[in-house]
PDB file of all heavy atoms in Angstrom:
ATOM      1  N   GLN A  62       4.639  12.513 -12.679  1.00 80.00           N
ATOM      2  CA  GLN A  62       4.483  12.201 -11.250  1.00 80.00           C
ATOM      3  C   GLN A  62       3.027  12.041 -10.877  1.00 80.00           C
ATOM      4  O   GLN A  62       2.649  11.139 -10.116  1.00 80.00           O
ATOM      5  CB  GLN A  62       5.114  13.304 -10.403  1.00 80.00           C
ATOM      6  CG  GLN A  62       6.580  13.029 -10.147  1.00 80.00           C
ATOM      7  CD  GLN A  62       7.240  14.160  -9.380  1.00 80.00           C
ATOM      8  OE1 GLN A  62       6.556  15.054  -8.874  1.00 80.00           O
ATOM      9  NE2 GLN A  62       8.551  14.114  -9.311  1.00 80.00           N
ATOM     10  N   THR A  63       2.201  12.927 -11.418  1.00 82.00           N
ATOM     11  CA  THR A  63       0.780  12.841 -11.108  1.00 82.00           C
ATOM     12  C   THR A  63       0.201  11.527 -11.606  1.00 82.00           C
ATOM     13  O   THR A  63      -0.566  10.857 -10.913  1.00 82.00           O
ATOM     14  CB  THR A  63       0.023  14.016 -11.749  1.00 82.00           C
ATOM     15  OG1 THR A  63       0.654  15.218 -11.361  1.00 82.00           O
ATOM     16  CG2 THR A  63      -1.419  14.019 -11.313  1.00 82.00           C
ATOM     17  N   MET A  64       0.615  11.154 -12.807  1.00 80.00           N
ATOM     18  CA  MET A  64       0.098   9.894 -13.336  1.00 80.00           C
ATOM     19  C   MET A  64       0.493   8.727 -12.445  1.00 80.00           C
ATOM     20  O   MET A  64      -0.303   7.813 -12.202  1.00 80.00           O
ATOM     21  CB  MET A  64       0.613   9.671 -14.764  1.00 80.00           C
ATOM     22  CG  MET A  64      -0.173  10.502 -15.771  1.00 80.00           C
ATOM     23  SD  MET A  64       0.351  10.235 -17.457  1.00 80.00           S
ATOM     24  CE  MET A  64      -0.221   8.590 -17.752  1.00 80.00           C
ATOM     25  N   GLU A  65       1.710   8.799 -11.938  1.00 77.00           N
ATOM     26  CA  GLU A  65       2.178   7.746 -11.032  1.00 77.00           C
ATOM     27  C   GLU A  65       1.277   7.698  -9.783  1.00 77.00           C
ATOM     28  O   GLU A  65       0.826   6.640  -9.350  1.00 77.00           O
ATOM     29  CB  GLU A  65       3.635   8.013 -10.639  1.00 77.00           C
ATOM     30  CG  GLU A  65       4.354   6.831 -10.023  1.00 77.00           C
ATOM     31  CD  GLU A  65       4.334   5.601 -10.923  1.00 77.00           C
ATOM     32  OE1 GLU A  65       4.609   5.726 -12.147  1.00 77.00           O
ATOM     33  OE2 GLU A  65       4.035   4.517 -10.395  1.00 77.00           O
ATOM     34  N   ALA A  66       0.994   8.904  -9.250  1.00 78.00           N
ATOM     35  CA  ALA A  66       0.167   8.978  -8.043  1.00 78.00           C
ATOM     36  C   ALA A  66      -1.243   8.462  -8.320  1.00 78.00           C
ATOM     37  O   ALA A  66      -1.831   7.745  -7.514  1.00 78.00           O
ATOM     38  CB  ALA A  66       0.115  10.416  -7.532  1.00 78.00           C
ATOM     39  N   VAL A  67      -1.767   8.843  -9.492  1.00 79.00           N
ATOM     40  CA  VAL A  67      -3.123   8.393  -9.819  1.00 79.00           C
ATOM     41  C   VAL A  67      -3.144   6.883 -10.023  1.00 79.00           C
ATOM     42  O   VAL A  67      -4.062   6.196  -9.588  1.00 79.00           O
ATOM     43  CB  VAL A  67      -3.651   9.128 -11.071  1.00 79.00           C
ATOM     44  CG1 VAL A  67      -4.998   8.564 -11.502  1.00 79.00           C
ATOM     45  CG2 VAL A  67      -3.800  10.606 -10.782  1.00 79.00           C
ATOM     46  N   ARG A  68      -2.103   6.375 -10.673  1.00 74.00           N
ATOM     47  CA  ARG A  68      -2.030   4.921 -10.865  1.00 74.00           C
ATOM     48  C   ARG A  68      -2.043   4.201  -9.532  1.00 74.00           C
ATOM     49  O   ARG A  68      -2.686   3.188  -9.362  1.00 74.00           O
ATOM     50  CB  ARG A  68      -0.753   4.550 -11.620  1.00 74.00           C
ATOM     51  CG  ARG A  68      -0.952   4.510 -13.123  1.00 74.00           C
ATOM     52  CD  ARG A  68       0.251   3.863 -13.773  1.00 74.00           C
ATOM     53  NE  ARG A  68       0.528   4.520 -15.026  1.00 74.00           N
ATOM     54  CZ  ARG A  68       1.612   5.227 -15.284  1.00 74.00           C
ATOM     55  NH1 ARG A  68       2.532   5.360 -14.360  1.00 74.00           N
ATOM     56  NH2 ARG A  68       1.783   5.795 -16.453  1.00 74.00           N
ATOM     57  N   ASP A  69      -1.296   4.765  -8.565  1.00 74.00           N
ATOM     58  CA  ASP A  69      -1.273   4.155  -7.240  1.00 74.00           C
ATOM     59  C   ASP A  69      -2.673   4.108  -6.649  1.00 74.00           C
ATOM     60  O   ASP A  69      -3.047   3.154  -5.979  1.00 74.00           O
ATOM     61  CB  ASP A  69      -0.350   4.934  -6.291  1.00 74.00           C
ATOM     62  CG  ASP A  69       1.094   4.488  -6.467  1.00 74.00           C
ATOM     63  OD1 ASP A  69       1.321   3.570  -7.283  1.00 74.00           O
ATOM     64  OD2 ASP A  69       1.975   5.064  -5.801  1.00 74.00           O
ATOM     65  N   GLN A  70      -3.411   5.204  -6.869  1.00 76.00           N
ATOM     66  CA  GLN A  70      -4.760   5.251  -6.320  1.00 76.00           C
ATOM     67  C   GLN A  70      -5.713   4.371  -7.129  1.00 76.00           C
ATOM     68  O   GLN A  70      -6.606   3.758  -6.596  1.00 76.00           O
ATOM     69  CB  GLN A  70      -5.278   6.704  -6.325  1.00 76.00           C
ATOM     70  CG  GLN A  70      -6.739   6.857  -5.957  1.00 76.00           C
ATOM     71  CD  GLN A  70      -7.018   6.405  -4.536  1.00 76.00           C
ATOM     72  OE1 GLN A  70      -6.190   6.579  -3.640  1.00 76.00           O
ATOM     73  NE2 GLN A  70      -8.173   5.790  -4.329  1.00 76.00           N
TER      74      GLN A  70
END
Side-chain angles (χ1 to χ4, degrees):
Chain A
Q62 272 176 11
T63 307
M64 281 182 70
E65 196 56 46
V67 174
R68 269 192 217 114
D69 276 358
Q70 172 63 35

